Amino acid sequence: MVQKYQSPVRVYKHPFEMVMAAYEKRFPTCPQIPVFVGSEVLSEVTGEDGSLHIIERSCKLNVDAPRLLKKIAGVEYVYFVQKNTLNWKDRTLLIEAHNETFASRVTVIERCSYSVHPENEDWTCFEQSASLDIKSFFGFENTVEKIAMKQYTANIKRGKEVIEYYLNELIAEGITEIPRWVPPEKRALMSRLPLESLSRLTERVVCCASNLSADKLDADYIERYLGQLTPMQESCLIRLRQWLQETHKGKDEHILRFLRARDFNVDKAREMLCQSLTWRKQYQVDYILETWRPPAFLQEYYAGGWHFHDSEGRPLYILRLGQMDTKGLVKALGEEALLRHVLSINEEGQKRCEENTKIFGRPITSWTCLVDLEGLNMRHLWRPGVKALLRIIEVVEANYPETLGRLLIVRAPRVFPVLWTLVSPFINDNTRQKFLVYSGNNYQGVGGLVDYIDKEIIPDFLGGGCMCTVPEGGLVPKSLYQTEEALENSDHIKLWTETIYQSAHVFKGAPHEIVIEILEGSSVITWDFDILKGDLVFNIFHSKRSPQNSKKDPSASTPGVNNVQLIEKSWVLGVDYSMVESPLMCREGESIQGSHITRWPGLYILQWKVNGPAPVSGPALPRVDDVLASLQVSSHKCKVMYYTEVLASEDFRGSMTSLESCHSGFSQLSGGTTSSSQSQSSSLVSR
């Protein structure tokens, strides 16, 4: 397997020329990097005007590997060839390196670049990427890979420290500024100009610097807003972020949470993130803070709420579970409404984390939950209530990973171990390690809550001096209960049953079709659909005949499966109906938004049909349009979730903003698009 590394952008707050002078001091050897034994110049070329300098070196490395492995390999040192292309005019340095030793068994490729900061021409940016491919190594492939990755990551951040060291050395020598390169003809002119004219001329020397791409992250930004990460964790974040770049417009802390939840395994984090994005869009979770209005009785009887922050600046949520009538809440609300309320709490928690990051000036990416269990008894173990709790935990674990920084459980009664036995298997190991449980009154004093919450913030009902406005809970009146029949019919959580989207299954030889009646020409048919499973072809037809009876595919007779065919087999394309746009190939995982301006009134048929499998070619990180194929076991069924609307021509402004489902920063991960236009229609395809 090819191992890849991509660094964030590291910034030196020194001019490019000073950084280059410091860089050259690393050669021919560098005591600050023990693994770098020495180097020898193989070739050197300088351009006619002196602006271009190309130098190729052979670098000798003493890799920190077991003596036995070196003896088996038959080498003491490893040699790399490094080619440096320095462009003084553009103020860039490109470094390309590859291994010469064991080149037939191991391929190591490294590429680094120094360039001028796009917003400050007196600063210098550094980027680094590398790949390692071990084909064979005497049966020690895994060992060599671990040694190589350990050695490489150990020297990544040391590289910046070395440059800083030599910069300080230059400054100590009295070198604080190095003139920029100027063309020879200007250099000759400058030598003859008076000082005032020379000053004006040098002010007009403009550096050539490209803008920092939107998909790049600054190392200082990562440390400031996301916290301390290891070099390989930084690389995982940047790789997943780049892979999502075409659809990601928002927040890196969300990507980082999914990476942490999967121990920085990029493939597993990508799979988890894609499933969550589909879930958010399908159930319109991004709108929940705007649309969810809890019933008045829920605000009274749900004993939970936000209460300032803990000693580390995390938002603090207090839940008085022992005082809560969980049975009454489930019976009065139903699982769906209770889940919506919990999701709104999680969405609010993410907002508060962002606010606290700004307030405290350090990364706040999770919150603390304080759970008071005084009053917990066997009525809290009501089976439907526990079942609802487990379902909520499952949804939260899948879609809000690593948002819980710490869970403080106080006044745990004897019945608590029973509840813990039921719930703990559904909580992952990382989350369980954040639980602290206090029984009786041992939460008071040193070693208790004061270790995690400032004394003046501890709520009054736990012996603190802070008035807490969290509701006290209590029994929910039975007059508010739903009927048993209603609860039985709600066996599965059907979040957002009023969703504007519809789902359909598509089978080989059995497309799914819908008909839209257009009353006046120049109306606009708009669509927004997601390919949840399989590859499909999307068509739009104008029909001269009215479909008689919709027919369903016999294989789709399973309850809940939607598959409708409207075009009769006897119909002739070009006679009874005509294709008004070229077919659109849609890959699994794509999100398509588009429109068609109708030429004639009448019936239009939108069709989704199965497309044959496309060959998969393999970069280490596949494209978004390939990834969801790995999320489900393949079968003959395809699935699409769609929404359509007809707009009058005067209401259509050429944009699809009315159809955009990316509302909050989080789901802007699925909001970016690339566009392709076809005669009178345009489709936006998220990949």
Side-chain angles (χ1 to χ4, degrees):
M1 179 179 176
V2 178
Q3 293 285 350
K4 291 192 173 185
Y5 170 79
Q6 174 64 58
S7 77
V9 178
R10 308 194 188 280
V11 178
Y12 299 94
K13 296 182 179 180
H14 297 275
F16 177 79
E17 289 72 22
M18 285 286 290
V19 174
M20 290 300 97
Y23 175 78
E24 283 301 319
K25 292 176 78 70
R26 293 176 48 175
F27 301 99
T29 185
C30 182
Q32 283 73 27
I33 306 180
V35 70
F36 183 56
V37 178
S39 62
E40 177 185 350
V41 176
L42 301 178
S43 64
E44 189 169 4
V45 178
T46 303
E48 291 183 6
D49 60 0
S51 65
L52 193 65
H53 183 207
I54 302 174
I55 185 168
E56 196 169 38
R57 295 183 177 95
S58 175
C59 299
K60 183 179 179 181
L61 306 182
N62 183 15
V63 178
D64 184 15
R67 184 68 187 171
L68 178 60
L69 184 60
K70 287 187 175 182
K71 190 172 182 180
I72 293 173
V75 297
E76 189 68 29
Y77 300 103
V78 175
Y79 290 88
F80 277 72
V81 174
Q82 182 192 75
K83 179 183 177 182
N84 291 1
T85 303
L86 176 59
N87 190 320
W88 290 111
K89 180 181 178 181
D90 293 343
R91 302 178 79 196
T92 61
L93 172 64
L94 174 64
I95 305 169
E96 298 169 294
H98 65 274
N99 62 305
E100 199 172 37
T101 307
F102 300 119
S104 62
R105 296 178 177 273
V106 180
T107 302
V108 180
I109 299 174
E110 183 183 51
R111 181 184 176 94
C112 308
S113 67
Y114 290 86
S115 59
V116 178
H117 194 286
E119 296 176 2
N120 189 330
E121 62 181 33
D122 289 327
W123 290 359
T124 305
C125 295
F126 172 76
E127 287 185 82
Q128 181 178 10
S129 62
S131 64
L132 169 68
D133 184 9
I134 301 176
K135 302 177 180 68
S136 65
F137 203 87
F138 312 107
F140 292 93
E141 291 80 13
N142 291 336
T143 302
V144 171
E145 181 178 294
K146 290 178 182 178
I147 292 173
M149 297 304 294
K150 181 181 178 181
Q151 194 91 62
Y152 192 75
T153 53
N155 287 287
I156 286 170
K157 288 195 173 179
R158 191 179 301 170
K160 182 177 182 180
E161 295 170 2
V162 169
I163 294 294
E164 296 282 4
Y165 172 83
Y166 285 124
L167 281 166
N168 292 332
E169 190 176 89
L170 287 169
I171 294 170
E173 295 171 359
I175 303 173
T176 58
E177 184 177 358
I178 297 175
R180 298 184 189 178
W181 177 89
V182 292
E185 59 273 14
K186 287 188 178 181
R187 200 176 308 142
L189 176 62
M190 289 166 65
S191 64
R192 300 193 297 269
L193 289 174
L195 184 61
E196 295 81 0
S197 300
L198 178 59
S199 176
R200 289 195 297 270
L201 179 61
T202 53
E203 288 175 359
R204 292 197 296 266
V205 177
V206 180
C207 67
C208 299
S210 58
N211 288 331
L212 202 62
S213 299
D215 64 337
K216 296 180 180 178
L217 285 180
D218 186 296
D220 293 337
Y221 164 85
I222 292 177
E223 186 173 347
R224 167 68 175 78
Y225 292 101
L226 305 179
Q228 292 283 351
L229 301 179
T230 68
M232 292 312 296
Q233 289 173 344
E234 289 177 339
S235 176
C236 291
L237 171 63
I238 292 168
R239 289 169 60 204
L240 184 54
R241 190 178 187 273
Q242 287 175 341
W243 179 78
L244 286 165
Q245 188 58 38
E246 292 183 8
T247 56
H248 174 51
K249 303 294 179 186
K251 300 166 185 176
D252 303 296
E253 58 267 29
H254 296 307
I255 301 177
L256 186 57
R257 284 172 179 148
F258 283 88
L259 282 166
R260 283 178 170 148
R262 292 297 178 261
D263 296 323
F264 285 88
N265 182 307
V266 177
D267 293 332
K268 291 181 179 179
R270 182 178 64 247
E271 176 181 328
M272 183 184 184
L273 182 55
C274 282
Q275 289 175 328
S276 179
L277 293 177
T278 300
W279 171 80
R280 292 184 72 87
K281 183 172 183 179
Q282 182 173 1
Y283 298 117
Q284 303 179 20
V285 177
D286 293 330
Y287 297 91
I288 200 166
L289 289 178
E290 298 177 9
T291 58
W292 170 240
R293 296 292 178 266
F297 79 86
L298 181 61
Q299 296 178 1
E300 180 180 354
Y301 294 104
Y302 188 89
W306 294 100
H307 180 79
F308 300 101
H309 55 79
D310 69 5
S311 57
E312 297 180 24
R314 296 190 186 103
L316 177 62
Y317 190 84
I318 293 179
L319 183 65
R320 304 186 68 176
L321 185 59
Q323 303 299 316
M324 192 183 299
D325 180 9
T326 53
K327 179 178 180 179
L329 287 173
V330 172
K331 279 186 166 286
L333 283 173
E335 294 179 23
E336 183 179 339
L338 192 58
L339 174 57
R340 290 189 191 185
H341 190 61
V342 173
L343 295 183
S344 71
I345 294 170
N346 280 269
E347 293 290 313
E348 177 67 23
Q350 292 183 148
K351 284 182 61 178
R352 288 174 177 261
C353 285
E354 295 170 16
E355 293 169 359
N356 285 16
T357 295
K358 297 175 183 177
I359 293 171
F360 293 99
R362 60 178 182 271
I364 307 292
T365 59
S366 59
W367 54 82
T368 292
C369 186
L370 172 59
V371 180
D372 178 19
L373 294 184
E374 186 183 50
L376 188 78
N377 54 43
M378 293 304 294
R379 68 184 171 86
H380 290 90
L381 303 181
W382 179 57
R383 190 173 182 278
V386 174
K387 183 179 177 183
L389 176 62
L390 296 180
R391 287 181 175 176
I392 290 172
I393 290 174
E394 184 179 7
V395 171
V396 171
E397 286 277 296
N399 298 285
Y400 300 91
E402 297 299 312
T403 52
L404 181 66
R406 185 177 289 115
L407 182 68
L408 303 170
I409 299 175
V410 298
R411 303 199 283 196
R414 291 183 179 180
V415 75
F416 173 70
V418 180
L419 179 62
W420 178 248
T421 301
L422 294 172
V423 171
S424 60
F426 295 86
I427 303 172
N428 67 45
D429 293 336
N430 289 341
T431 303
R432 280 204 297 266
Q433 292 174 4
K434 302 171 184 176
F435 283 42
L436 292 171
V437 182
Y438 299 93
S439 60
N441 293 323
N442 62 357
Y443 65 89
Q444 298 175 343
V446 178
L449 293 183
V450 291
D451 287 7
Y452 308 101
I453 304 172
D454 293 340
K455 190 174 181 180
E456 58 271 18
I457 291 179
I458 295 177
D460 51 351
F461 64 85
L462 291 177
C466 186
M467 183 64 67
C468 182
T469 59
V470 173
E472 295 183 2
L475 292 175
V476 178
K478 290 187 177 181
S479 59
L480 298 175
Y481 283 12
Q482 296 184 40
T483 63
E484 289 292 333
E485 182 180 357
L487 291 173
E488 288 297 324
N489 291 336
S490 179
D491 188 44
H492 298 289
I493 296 177
K494 298 178 181 179
L495 187 61
W496 296 110
T497 52
E498 70 273 23
T499 178
I500 59 175
Y501 290 88
Q502 299 183 59
S503 295
H505 288 83
V506 183
F507 303 83
K508 188 175 182 180
H512 178 69
E513 295 162 347
I514 62 173
V515 63
I516 296 176
E517 184 176 9
I518 299 298
L519 300 178
E520 58 178 339
S522 298
S523 297
V524 182
I525 301 174
T526 63
W527 55 80
D528 178 10
F529 61 87
D530 292 79
I531 309 301
L532 303 182
K533 184 177 181 182
D535 295 341
L536 298 174
V537 177
F538 174 69
N539 289 304
I540 180 169
F541 303 98
H542 178 258
S543 175
K544 296 180 180 178
R545 298 178 59 177
S546 177
Q548 296 302 311
N549 294 305
S550 64
K551 55 180 181 177
K552 294 191 176 182
D553 181 74
S555 63
S557 57
T558 307
V561 173
N562 182 24
N563 176 267
V564 177
Q565 297 148 57
L566 301 172
I567 299 176
E568 301 289 337
K569 290 184 178 180
S570 60
W571 289 12
V572 178
L573 182 63
V575 177
D576 301 297
Y577 68 109
S578 58
M579 184 179 293
V580 295
E581 294 295 340
S582 301
L584 179 65
M585 311 296 288
C586 308
R587 303 288 298 280
E588 183 169 327
E590 285 185 348
S591 177
I592 293 92
Q593 299 86 37
S595 60
H596 172 79
I597 302 174
T598 61
R599 293 184 180 179
W600 319 280
L603 300 176
Y604 286 78
I605 296 175
L606 275 58
Q607 179 194 73
W608 293 268
K609 68 177 182 179
V610 172
N611 182 34
V616 178
S617 57
L621 282 175
R623 292 171 58 91
V624 178
D625 54 343
D626 293 325
V627 70
L628 292 182
S630 65
L631 302 184
Q632 301 175 351
V633 178
S634 61
S635 72
H636 64 287
K637 277 196 304 187
C638 298
K639 190 175 181 181
V640 60
M641 182 177 70
Y642 64 90
Y643 165 79
T644 63
E645 184 180 7
V646 177
L647 304 175
S649 58
E650 61 269 22
D651 296 332
F652 185 73
R653 296 179 177 85
S655 72
M656 298 306 296
T657 53
S658 62
L659 297 179
E660 287 178 358
S661 55
C662 52
H663 184 73
S664 73
F666 190 95
S667 266
Q668 286 176 348
L669 284 165
S670 61
T673 57
T674 56
S675 63
S676 62
S677 59
Q678 303 171 337
S679 66
Q680 287 189 304
S681 77
S682 64
S683 291
L684 300 178
V685 184
S686 296
R687 299 178 186 270

